[in-house]
Amino acid sequence: MRRSPVPGAALAAWTELDTGPIPGGGGALRLVRRDDEFLIVVEGMELMGSHRSGSERELAALACAALRRYPAPRVLIGGLGMGFTLRAALAELGPDAKIVVAELVPAVLTWARGPLAPIFGGCLDDKRVEIREGDVNRVIQSGPQAWDAILLDVDNGPRGLVSRANDRLYDSWGLKRARWALRPGGLLGIWSGCPDRKFKARLQRTGFTVAEHRIRSERPGRTPHVVWIATRPTDGG
């Protein structure tokens, strides 16, 4: 997801299509449109734009390319957004893969089959996809060694934005839970709007081997986006 301020005057040029409350967050997401472009906005921040999706797709491509050796990989995606990460994962993975998408905000699921349906292109009906409405943190905690990859694109990086409760995804305990939920050799992929050396170090302290990928922003002059691919050791770590 893209996270950048949208000036009030600029936002006034967009037509609001719908608003969806954030469970437990006290705020709301807004879906707005201008011509053929859509934005999802929260508190004046652009969470995602339909015309800029490169780094979201890269999150899935980097992680799923490493899963091709598995005959039936299981992947958990935190955050549906506009489906860019999901579609990229489907393009990378074979017919026996299983992809579970956890989405906290019910309205996002409604938009995916409503005004945003042309962007999703029917990917929600792919037999490999299961949608779960709710907190991705609960899905992570549902069982040990359940996933070959967990991909998180729910905030502005390693801190809660859409929901303050998301902070627990990125603290030391949250990362330990993610490692517990991954099979040995499994991957934790996290999208960020900017680099964060402290978070990278936290990943390493938790026992992950970390690769940091900086991806040029599609907006000239902006800070590069970052995708961390953190691997759980195969030696029982």
Side-chain angles (χ1 to χ4, degrees), residues 1 40 48 77-86 101-104 108-110 112 120 123-124 129 131 153-154:
M1 290 186 178
I40 296 176
M48 172 160 284
I77 296 177
L80 177 61
M82 293 185 179
F84 295 119
T85 300
L86 171 60
V101 182
E103 173 54 54
L104 178 66
V108 173
L109 303 176
T110 301
F120 278 82
C123 69
L124 298 182
V129 176
I131 303 296
D153 182 21
V154 296

Side-chain angles (χ1 to χ4, degrees), residues 75-215:
V75 177
L76 171 62
I77 296 177
L80 177 61
M82 293 185 179
F84 295 119
T85 300
L86 171 60
R87 286 167 59 191
L90 288 169
E92 291 283 345
L93 299 175
D96 295 321
K98 178 69 173 181
I99 304 175
V100 174
V101 182
E103 173 54 54
L104 178 66
V105 182
V108 173
L109 303 176
T110 301
W111 300 339
R113 293 193 179 277
L116 299 181
I119 297 172
F120 278 82
C123 69
L124 298 182
D125 297 318
D126 191 297
K127 67 178 183 179
R128 295 171 289 175
V129 176
E130 176 187 345
I131 303 296
R132 296 187 190 177
E133 181 182 318
D135 187 350
V136 67
N137 187 55
R138 292 189 177 182
V139 183
I140 290 173
Q141 295 185 68
S142 61
Q145 299 188 19
W147 309 99
D148 294 295
I150 298 171
L151 309 181
L152 300 179
D153 182 21
V154 296
D155 289 298
N156 197 28
R159 61 190 59 82
L161 175 64
V162 172
S163 172
R164 295 292 184 186
N166 283 352
D167 284 338
R168 62 191 174 184
L169 292 170
Y170 314 111
D171 63 19
S172 294
W173 282 108
L175 296 180
K176 289 177 181 178
R177 285 192 295 268
R179 190 185 66 184
W180 171 81
L182 287 167
R183 295 170 182 167
L187 307 173
L188 172 64
I190 298 176
W191 187 99
S192 178
C194 61
D196 189 323
R197 288 182 295 177
K198 290 183 178 180
F199 179 70
K200 180 180 179 181
R202 191 182 309 146
L203 281 167
Q204 293 168 329
R205 288 196 303 271
T206 307
F208 287 104
T209 300
V210 183
E212 180 177 282
H213 303 269
R214 299 199 179 194
I215 302 163

